[in-house]
Amino acid sequence: MSTSPLVLLGRASISSKRNAARTITNSCQFSGDAFVSSTSSHAPRTVRNYFHANNKMRFRHFTTAMSRTLPSLGVSPNIPLKNKYDAGGQKRYLNLHEYQSLSLMKKAGMTTQNGAVARTPEEARTVAETLVNNSPGCDLIVKAQIHAGGRGKGSFSNGFQGGVQILTDPADVERVSPNMLGVNLVTKQTGPEGQPCNSLLINEGITIVEEYYLAILLDREAGGPVIVASQQGGMDIEEVAESDPDAITVVTMDINTGLTDEQAEKVASKGLGLEDGDLKNQAVRQIKALGQMFLDLDATQIEVNPFAVADDGCLYCVDAKLNFDDNAHYRQGEVFQMRDVSMEDPRDVRAEKSNLNYIGLDGSIGCMVNGAGLAMATMDIIKLSGGSPANFLDVGGGASKEQVAEAFKILTSDPNVKGLLINIFGGIMKCDVIAQGIISAHKEVGLDVPLVVRLEGTNVKEGKAMLENSGLPIITASDLDDAAQKAVSAVNNLG
């Protein structure tokens, strides 16, 4: 008996226009499949990461369970739940620079501006000279390449203003480049520390006549991808959904058949308001190319904003935001080689290398726990006890001594951490083994902040005895409430 594929997606629905603002925001911030930090400000980082940790961990456990259950029902999951890159560690969702996204879109058949990336002032001038030679008198748009929005209004740590510069002379491009390259750019989405600008995208400027919004997102209610289009491009789509939901058109795309001509024409005519003619034909061609690209590259989001008409009569993808499902790493090697770890939290990168589930937050109590649910409960209890968790860290069910030591190093590398709380339920991981790992890591790292440990489960008596006889200043706790209260008290006593 043949069955239809079942698609399992951790997305909020955006099918209902009435709920468009809520669901578009949720799909970008608190999704189980992709976390698009560029759509939200840095200020509520603790809340965003807290929910992201919960969704991400729960989504992984859910899909793993379903991969065991569905075959017995005669149904095959339509997403790669496990692959050779998935060893139970945390999942990352690849984020690309603008120049990388545009290169992929151009390769897929989308129309983009002429330009190239530069990593030195000399390269920047060479790119600019090539553009001017091919199009005399054109504007030269110099864009800092970081993984955050708001670049135009951003400021560099050296005081230079604006991550997007509009110039006309290649000599000026070379002159301003040293103010941008190798310097952190601070925007409303990066936080006060900013992100390092290691490359510049120099584009040929175009005169925009009309701006549209075009995106493909995953939608739970639709059971797959949907195309979202609006005539109100060049602005925040969440604001459009809130103020004028009728301005947004949503079309479902079947992952088995791809985007049809009829659907592409509907998006072009109803979503973008284009009448019959060359412009509509351009839109239909590029919309179909975008749909095929989404499927071919295992994307979780492709957003073009603005999708713009220029005075030369062409439709351009002026700016693009792409995200990809890490479960597809094994078949998208070329795309994943584009990853720029300098844009990521160094602690996250270290944790990933050690197969630890880590997400940094803004609190003062570092947490090390085995199990995602227990980790979330530990964070809750810390908050209820008057403290603030500094991270989510799940060491898994079979952490080695080396992993525990690396976890200590990651936690203590955060300058905000004033104390540590270790909460272990010994099942597969025996309490005496974890106790030995804690003692060894304490000595290796030279821990200088209060450490509270709560152990429960297999060999708990032996584990507690080892901690008490270690001669180290380790505070033991009888239960989770006791552990959280002792951790909060120890941090508060530091002043």
Side-chain angles (χ1 to χ4, degrees), residues 152 186 190 208 213 250 263 336 390 402:
V186 181
T190 64
I208 295 177
Y213 176 90
V250 179
Q263 288 175 316
F336 279 81
E402 291 74 21

Side-chain angles (χ1 to χ4, degrees), residues 130-417:
T130 301
L131 293 174
V132 170
N133 289 337
N134 292 335
S135 182
C138 71
D139 285 336
L140 300 169
I141 315 300
V142 182
K143 295 183 178 181
Q145 297 298 284
I146 63 171
H147 286 176
R151 292 170 294 173
K153 297 181 180 179
S155 60
F156 290 87
S157 56
N158 59 7
F160 188 71
Q161 296 297 310
V164 178
Q165 301 287 321
I166 303 176
L167 307 168
T168 56
D169 190 337
D172 289 335
V173 173
E174 184 178 23
R175 177 180 54 80
V176 303
S177 294
N179 297 315
M180 306 170 75
L181 288 168
V183 185
N184 278 25
L185 176 59
V186 181
T187 78
K188 63 181 181 180
Q189 294 181 8
T190 64
E193 70 282 358
Q195 290 183 4
C197 172
N198 298 319
S199 58
L200 301 173
L201 174 62
I202 296 93
N203 269 342
E204 174 187 341
I206 60 173
T207 301
I208 295 177
V209 177
E210 197 73 49
E211 294 183 322
Y212 306 113
Y213 176 90
L214 182 63
I216 302 182
L217 307 170
L218 291 176
D219 178 54
R220 174 183 293 170
E221 188 171 303
V226 295
I227 303 168
V228 182
S230 175
Q231 297 179 44
Q232 299 184 35
M235 59 190 298
D236 192 335
I237 192 63
E238 288 89 346
E239 293 181 5
V240 175
E242 180 70 34
S243 61
D244 188 9
D246 288 332
I248 295 175
T249 297
V250 179
V251 176
T252 302
M253 181 174 74
D254 189 321
I255 62 173
N256 296 306
T257 60
L259 192 64
T260 65
D261 291 337
E262 182 181 357
Q263 288 175 316
E265 289 185 5
K266 179 179 179 181
V267 174
S269 58
K270 183 179 179 182
L272 305 181
L274 298 175
E275 302 294 337
D276 291 336
D278 179 61
L279 205 58
K280 181 179 178 182
N281 291 337
Q282 289 185 55
V284 170
R285 177 184 62 80
Q286 295 195 59
I287 291 168
K288 288 199 68 177
L290 197 71
Q292 193 60 48
M293 175 184 174
F294 185 92
L295 298 177
D296 290 344
L297 297 183
D298 293 295
T300 55
Q301 169 182 292
I302 299 180
E303 181 185 53
V304 182
N305 190 24
F307 186 41
V309 181
D311 61 355
D312 63 1
C314 292
L315 264 172
Y316 289 91
C317 299
V318 177
D319 199 355
K321 175 71 176 178
L322 278 66
N323 288 95
F324 304 88
D325 186 349
D326 270 9
N327 284 301
H329 185 295
Y330 70 101
R331 63 186 181 200
Q332 300 293 347
E334 182 180 351
V335 172
F336 279 81
Q337 286 178 359
M338 297 179 178
R339 178 184 177 188
D340 184 356
V341 295
S342 70
M343 296 292 111
E344 303 176 25
D345 188 326
R347 297 169 298 174
D348 291 356
V349 177
R350 288 178 61 184
E352 182 182 12
K353 289 180 179 178
S354 297
N355 200 30
L356 298 170
N357 301 310
Y358 174 88
I359 297 174
L361 303 177
D362 296 329
S364 60
I365 299 177
C367 307
M368 186 192 307
V369 189
N370 67 323
L374 187 59
M376 296 302 297
T378 302
M379 296 165 69
D380 287 339
I381 297 298
I382 289 173
K383 290 292 291 184
L384 290 172
S385 299
S388 180
N391 63 276
F392 171 99
L393 176 56
D394 170 17
V395 297
S400 65
K401 184 177 101 173
E402 291 74 21
Q403 283 179 300
V404 173
E406 184 62 21
F408 264 76
K409 294 174 184 177
I410 293 170
L411 294 179
T412 55
S413 68
D414 183 350
N416 293 324
V417 169

Side-chain angles (χ1 to χ4, degrees), residues 7-13 23 26-35 52 55-56 58-60 62-63 79 81 93 218-221 223-224 300 325:
V7 180
L8 304 176
L9 300 170
R11 279 278 180 184
S13 168
T23 52
N26 284 345
S27 119
C28 289
Q29 293 181 6
F30 303 125
S31 160
D33 348 85
F35 179 57
H52 177 45
N55 280 348
K56 183 166 61 175
R58 293 187 188 281
F59 182 69
R60 174 164 62 82
F62 168 73
T63 54
I79 57 175
L81 302 178
Y93 294 94
L218 291 176
D219 178 54
R220 174 183 293 170
E221 188 171 303
T300 55
D325 186 349

